[in-house]
């Protein structure tokens, strides 16, 4: 069964450093998303992406964040200058189309900022 | 502020019983409703989706939607210890064109032997 994959599973970085989290969405899906979950808190929407541009972004997704689809399979989230409060699980998700459709989540990347 | 509310639990049920999980949402424009299961340290796993009022059954799971009351529920029949997890209610209002899911905090379910 097709699934969303993410790398790395765990990323440790120093405050102020840049990190890139990588995702490979399900191959026939057209919509891609990033969510995050701080330990013990709810899953929060960051950004959605379709047709090589951002469809919607949350207040969390400020100028330090960016997303890119550098090739036909990868979807990346870049955090330019990490802060302690960026420590969280970051989940990539994809869906086949907009509207009444289901989002499937990858296993996540645990980001730890020291 | 669009909110999704769930009782955090824990909800404890004996093995073989029916577990009933509830969720309310604030945005009347919400179009799509989902239940995800999340084991500790893992990612959300989609269990059910529901888009119109009424019941939708899939195996041991039944989702119920009442848009007038802004209420979604999940019933798990014949609960098993492997069902012990946190169940997340998620709502998609399709506002802004971005297909954003808003999640509740989740209800922790414990199925006891």
């Amino acid at each position: 069964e097709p699934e969303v994959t993410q790398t790395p599973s765990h990323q440790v970085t120093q405050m102020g450093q840049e990190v890139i989290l990588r995702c490979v969405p399900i191959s026939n899906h057209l919509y891609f998303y990033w969510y995050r979950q701080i330990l013990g808190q709810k899953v929060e929407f960051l950004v959605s992406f379709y047709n090589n541009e951002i469809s919607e972004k949350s207040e969390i997704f400020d100028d330090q964040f960016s997303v890119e689809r550098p090739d036909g399979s990868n979807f990346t989230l870049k955090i330019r200058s990490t802060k302690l409060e960026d420590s969280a699980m970051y989940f990539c998700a994809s869906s086949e189309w907009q509207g009444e459709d289901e989002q499937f989540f990858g296993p996540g990347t645990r980001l730890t900022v020291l | 502020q669009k909110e999704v509310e769930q009782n955090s639990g824990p909800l404890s049920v004996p093995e073989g019983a029916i577990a009933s999980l509830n969720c309310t949402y604030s945005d009347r424009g919400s179009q799509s409703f989902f239940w995800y299961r999340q084991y500790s340290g893992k990612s959300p796993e989609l269990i059910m989706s529901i888009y119109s009022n009424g019941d939708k059954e899939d195996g041991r799971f039944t989702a119920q939607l009442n848009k007038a009351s802004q209420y979604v529920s999940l019933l798990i029949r014949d609960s098993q210890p492997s069902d012990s997890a946190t169940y997340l209610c998620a709502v998609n209002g399709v506002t802004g064109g971005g297909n954003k899911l808003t999640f509740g905090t989740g209800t922790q379910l414990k199925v006891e032997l």
Side-chain angles (χ1 to χ4, degrees):
Chain A
E1 185 175 327
E3 57 184 20
V4 177
T5 60
Q6 290 185 243
T7 55
S9 57
H10 191 187
Q11 175 88 48
V12 181
T13 190
Q14 296 290 325
M15 188 170 54
Q17 294 298 303
E18 175 183 288
V19 295
I20 298 176
L21 310 183
R22 292 182 167 80
C23 167
V24 178
I26 295 171
S27 62
N28 64 329
H29 284 189
L30 301 178
Y31 289 83
F32 316 122
Y33 314 87
W34 285 101
Y35 292 82
R36 80 172 185 188
Q37 187 176 31
I38 295 171
L39 186 64
Q41 298 187 23
K42 64 173 71 174
V43 176
E44 300 174 290
F45 170 80
L46 292 177
V47 65
S48 59
F49 191 87
Y50 169 70
N51 198 25
N52 281 317
E53 59 183 32
I54 290 173
S55 303
E56 187 174 359
K57 59 183 180 179
S58 71
E59 293 175 353
I60 303 168
F61 195 89
D62 60 21
D63 291 344
Q64 70 162 337
F65 290 92
S66 62
V67 289
E68 189 180 28
R69 187 150 164 85
D71 53 45
S73 59
N74 289 284
F75 178 51
T76 63
L77 174 69
K78 181 190 289 186
I79 309 175
R80 257 179 282 280
S81 178
T82 50
K83 304 171 188 171
L84 295 176
E85 55 265 37
D86 293 329
S87 295
M89 281 289 286
Y90 288 81
F91 297 113
C92 174
S94 69
S95 65
E96 191 170 357
W97 56 286
Q98 196 182 15
E100 298 180 356
D101 206 17
E102 301 162 334
Q103 296 184 24
F104 296 91
F105 281 67
T109 293
R110 179 173 299 281
L111 177 65
T112 302
V113 182
L114 303 176
Chain B
Q1 182 82 7
K2 298 168 187 174
E3 297 288 344
V4 177
E5 301 288 342
Q6 295 181 256
N7 187 324
S8 61
L11 172 65
S12 294
V13 299
E15 185 178 6
I18 296 175
S20 178
L21 305 162
N22 305 313
C23 169
T24 59
Y25 60 95
S26 62
D27 182 9
R28 283 197 172 274
S30 299
Q31 301 291 322
S32 311
F33 307 86
F34 306 92
W35 284 98
Y36 286 84
R37 177 173 63 197
Q38 187 175 33
Y39 293 111
S40 181
K42 302 296 185 182
S43 63
E45 174 193 5
L46 182 66
I47 298 175
M48 292 283 290
S49 58
I50 187 165
Y51 306 106
S52 53
N53 283 328
D55 295 359
K56 178 182 177 182
E57 186 174 319
D58 184 0
R60 296 187 296 113
F61 300 98
T62 299
Q64 300 173 317
L65 173 61
N66 184 326
K67 290 186 178 179
S69 300
Q70 296 175 241
Y71 177 87
V72 195
S73 66
L74 179 70
L75 299 178
I76 306 174
R77 289 181 298 281
D78 188 23
S79 296
Q80 301 297 310
S82 58
D83 295 327
S84 297
T86 297
Y87 289 80
L88 309 178
C89 175
V91 174
N92 181 353
V94 202
T95 55
N99 224 23
K100 158 188 171 182
L101 287 181
T102 300
F103 282 84
T105 53
T107 297
Q108 185 183 5
L109 174 65
K110 293 184 177 180
V111 181
E112 298 168 334
L113 295 170

